Amino acid sequence: MINMNEVFETNQMIQEMNLDVRTITMGISLLDCTGSTVQEVGDKIYDKITTKAKDLVKTGEDIEREFGVPIVNKRISVTPIALVGGGVCKTEDDFVELAKVLDQAAKKVGVNFIGGYSALVSKGMTKADELLIRSLPKALATTEIVCSSVNVGSTKTGINMDAIKLIGEKIVETANATKEKDSFGNAKFVVFCNAPDDNPFMAGAFHGVTEEDVVIHVGVSGPGVVKKAIEKARGKDFEVLCETIKKTAFKITRVGQLVAKEAAKRLGVPFGIIDLSLAPTPAIGDSVGEILEEIGLEYTGAPGTTAALAMLNDQVKKGGVMASSYVGGLSGAFIPVSEDQRMIDAVAAGALTIEKLEAMTCVCSVGLDMIAIPGDTKATTISGMIADEMALGMINQKTTAVRIIPVIGKGVGEIAEFGGLLGYAPIMPVNQFSCDAFINRGGRIPAPIHSFKN
C-alpha cells in the first residue's frame, strides 16, 4: 500500500535529485525471421520490429505523463544478428544491409537506440561471426542508432584472443570511418566478457536466446538520489552509510518496478528484469563520481576509490533485490568518463587514469567505458587493453566490458565531443609499451580452473 509520504518522497526525488527510469527496453527475438535471401530476412526483421514495438514509445510517454516519472530512453534489443543472418549473409556487405534494416525499423517506431548487431564468440568464431565483426566499421558508420556488441570471453570458455585481435583492428577502422564526428562510431560498440542475455543498457543490449519472444526490461538510475541521501550520513560510520544506500536503492528500484510492470501490462508482453545500474549523465547532480566524493574521496581515483565503489555497488544490489524479484542485466555502477562530469574533472586533475579504471572494473561492470584515447593508438594496444578487462571478468566470474574510442586527429589533453547523454571526454594517455607479440600469438586463453563446477 502506497501512502502519501512515499508519493511526496518520490516526487521530491524526481524534481530535485534527477531520479529517472533511464530506459524501457523491448527485447525482440528474431530467430523466426528466417529466409533464403538477405532481402527476405531483412523484410521479416523489419516487419517484426515495427509490429511488436509500434506502441513502445507511446506507452512509455503515456506512463511518464500519468505517473510523473521521467523515462529518458525507449530502446529495442534483438537477437544477435550473427545468429539471425548467418544462413544468408555471405559477405560483410550482406550484414551491413541488415544493420541498415535495423536502423530503419528503429527509426520507424521512434526509439532512441536498437542493440543486437552482435556476435557471441567466447570460444570460437563461425564464418558469420567473423563477417559481422569485419563489417563493423561500415555498419557503424552508415547507421545512426544501431548499437553493436561482441562477447569474446566467459568464465566457462576462456577468452577468444583471435576475436580480440580482429576487434582491435576494427575499432581503429571504425574510428577512421567516423573521424569527422570525433570517431563517434565506437561509442556505439562494446566488447564483453560474460555478457548477460537481458541487459537493457546500450551499447551492449541484445536479446539472448534464453529469453521469451518479446519481453520488457527496465533500467533504473538515480545517482543524484543516492548522493543526496548519503549527505545525511556525512561523518557517520560505514554501518549507517550502508543502511542509507540500501534503503535509497530500494526506493529507486520500486519506482522502476512500478514502471516496468505497467509497461509490460499495457504492451501485453512479459516483464523481464530490472537492471539496478547507477548510470550517470553529464547533468550536474547526476554523477557516480559525486557519490564517491561524498563517501569521502577528494576525487575519483584517490586511494580508497575501489573500496568505496565496491561498497556502493554491493549496497545498491542488496537494496534493489528486496524491491524486485527479477533483477538482472548488469546491475552495477557505470563509470563512463564522458558521461559523468566529476569523472571528467578527476581525469583533468590527474587523479584518474586508465589503470585505476581497470582496477575499479574488479568491482563494477563496465570499467573502461566511453574512454577517449589518442587516435594514433595501435590496434594491438587496444586489443591488449580489451584482453586485460576480459581477464578480470573471466577470473572473477562477472561481467566486464570495454567501450573505448581512439579519436582520430586528437591527442592527450584534447577534448572529444559526443553530445547528448554521451557528453564529452578528455583524451587519456595510454601505456606506450608494446604487447604486439602477445596479441599476435592467436588462439584462446583457456577457462580458469574454478570454471569446472559440474
Side-chain angles (χ1 to χ4, degrees):
M1 189 73 176
I2 299 176
N3 61 46
M4 290 307 297
N5 285 335
E6 290 175 308
V7 172
F8 175 77
E9 191 172 38
T10 301
N11 286 338
Q12 188 179 36
M13 288 192 292
I14 293 167
Q15 293 169 10
E16 300 176 16
M17 307 174 201
N18 294 308
L19 174 64
D20 58 50
V21 170
R22 188 55 46 87
T23 178
I24 292 179
T25 300
M26 176 178 279
I28 303 174
S29 173
L30 301 181
L31 291 175
D32 56 352
C33 295
T34 55
S36 56
T37 65
V38 175
Q39 179 70 48
E40 185 180 355
V41 171
D43 288 345
K44 289 184 177 181
I45 289 172
Y46 183 88
D47 290 344
K48 186 162 189 182
I49 291 171
T50 54
T51 300
K52 298 295 184 182
K54 62 182 173 54
D55 296 324
L56 176 62
V57 172
K58 181 180 182 302
T59 299
E61 290 172 346
D62 288 347
I63 293 171
E64 185 174 14
R65 183 174 58 255
E66 294 169 29
F67 288 60
V69 177
I71 301 172
V72 179
N73 290 288
K74 294 85 178 175
R75 299 165 172 170
I76 296 169
S77 64
V78 298
T79 309
I81 292 298
L83 299 177
V84 180
V88 294
C89 293
K90 306 304 180 186
T91 67
E92 296 170 34
D93 284 341
D94 286 343
F95 273 110
V96 172
E97 288 306 307
L98 294 186
K100 292 177 180 177
V101 169
L102 295 177
D103 205 46
Q104 292 161 6
K107 289 175 180 176
K108 174 69 175 177
V109 298
V111 295
N112 305 95
F113 287 109
I114 183 167
Y117 193 73
S118 306
L120 310 176
V121 299
S122 62
K123 197 170 185 180
M125 289 185 285
T126 65
K127 185 61 177 176
D129 293 327
E130 184 178 344
L131 284 173
L132 184 139
I133 293 170
R134 290 188 181 280
S135 77
L136 285 172
K138 190 171 183 180
L140 293 171
T142 56
T143 61
E144 294 180 31
I145 57 176
V146 171
C147 290
S148 177
S149 62
V150 179
N151 188 76
V152 300
S154 76
T155 301
K156 279 289 187 182
T157 61
I159 302 173
N160 186 339
M161 294 300 293
D162 288 329
I164 286 179
K165 178 184 177 183
L166 178 59
I167 286 168
E169 295 165 0
K170 294 304 158 184
I171 286 175
V172 171
E173 288 181 30
T174 301
N176 278 289
T178 56
K179 61 184 178 183
E180 293 81 9
K181 298 180 180 179
D182 275 352
S183 303
F184 177 75
N186 284 309
K188 301 184 293 176
F189 174 66
V190 62
V191 190
F192 276 116
C193 179
N194 292 320
D197 281 358
D198 53 8
N199 169 24
F201 284 103
M202 299 298 170
F206 63 86
H207 189 70
V209 296
T210 62
E211 297 289 300
E212 301 187 52
D213 189 52
V214 182
V215 69
I216 287 291
H217 303 308
V218 164
V220 296
S221 186
V225 180
V226 174
K227 195 263 184 180
K228 199 74 175 178
I230 63 177
E231 285 177 2
K232 299 173 183 176
R234 200 172 287 171
K236 304 291 179 62
D237 65 20
F238 280 103
E239 181 180 1
V240 174
L241 177 62
C242 290
E243 285 298 311
T244 302
I245 296 171
K246 277 194 298 184
K247 290 175 181 177
T248 306
F250 178 88
K251 296 170 186 175
I252 293 170
T253 307
R254 290 302 280 178
V255 173
Q257 173 87 351
L258 174 67
V259 169
K261 299 288 280 187
E262 187 65 24
K265 183 176 75 173
R266 295 187 185 193
L267 291 165
V269 301
F271 158 58
I273 57 94
I274 297 287
D275 188 311
L276 306 177
S277 299
L278 289 177
T281 72
I284 301 299
D286 201 24
S287 161
V288 171
E290 285 187 22
I291 296 175
L292 296 174
E293 291 173 13
E294 183 59 41
I295 288 172
L297 306 172
E298 183 178 3
Y299 278 109
T300 299
T305 295
T306 306
L309 183 60
M311 182 272 297
L312 172 64
N313 260 342
D314 186 52
Q315 301 311 310
V316 167
K317 291 177 182 179
K318 285 174 177 173
V321 296
M322 293 299 292
S324 175
S325 296
Y326 296 101
V327 171
L330 296 170
S331 289
F334 287 114
I335 49 174
V337 170
S338 78
E339 299 171 35
D340 189 319
Q341 184 59 52
R342 292 305 293 165
M343 300 284 281
I344 294 169
D345 295 342
V347 171
L352 187 60
T353 64
I354 286 176
E355 288 74 21
K356 184 61 175 178
L357 285 164
E358 182 182 311
M360 292 162 69
T361 310
C362 295
V363 296
C364 70
S365 294
V366 190
L368 295 188
D369 189 18
M370 291 299 294
I371 305 298
I373 61 174
D376 60 359
T377 304
K378 293 194 302 182
T380 49
T381 298
I382 293 170
S383 294
M385 297 167 73
I386 293 170
D388 284 343
E389 289 285 308
M390 300 302 100
L392 290 175
M394 177 185 72
I395 295 295
N396 292 303
Q397 305 176 71
K398 65 188 295 296
T399 302
T400 51
V402 174
R403 189 164 44 150
I404 196 162
I405 305 168
V407 183
I408 302 301
K410 292 189 175 181
V412 174
E414 294 185 80
I415 298 295
E417 295 280 358
F418 304 121
L421 279 176
L422 298 177
Y424 70 97
I427 311 295
M428 299 180 71
V430 173
N431 190 313
Q432 295 298 307
F433 289 93
S434 174
C435 62
D436 293 7
F438 173 70
I439 296 300
N440 288 328
R441 282 180 178 273
R444 176 163 57 97
I445 293 177
I449 187 65
H450 58 255
S451 69
F452 302 110
K453 293 183 176 179
N454 293 336

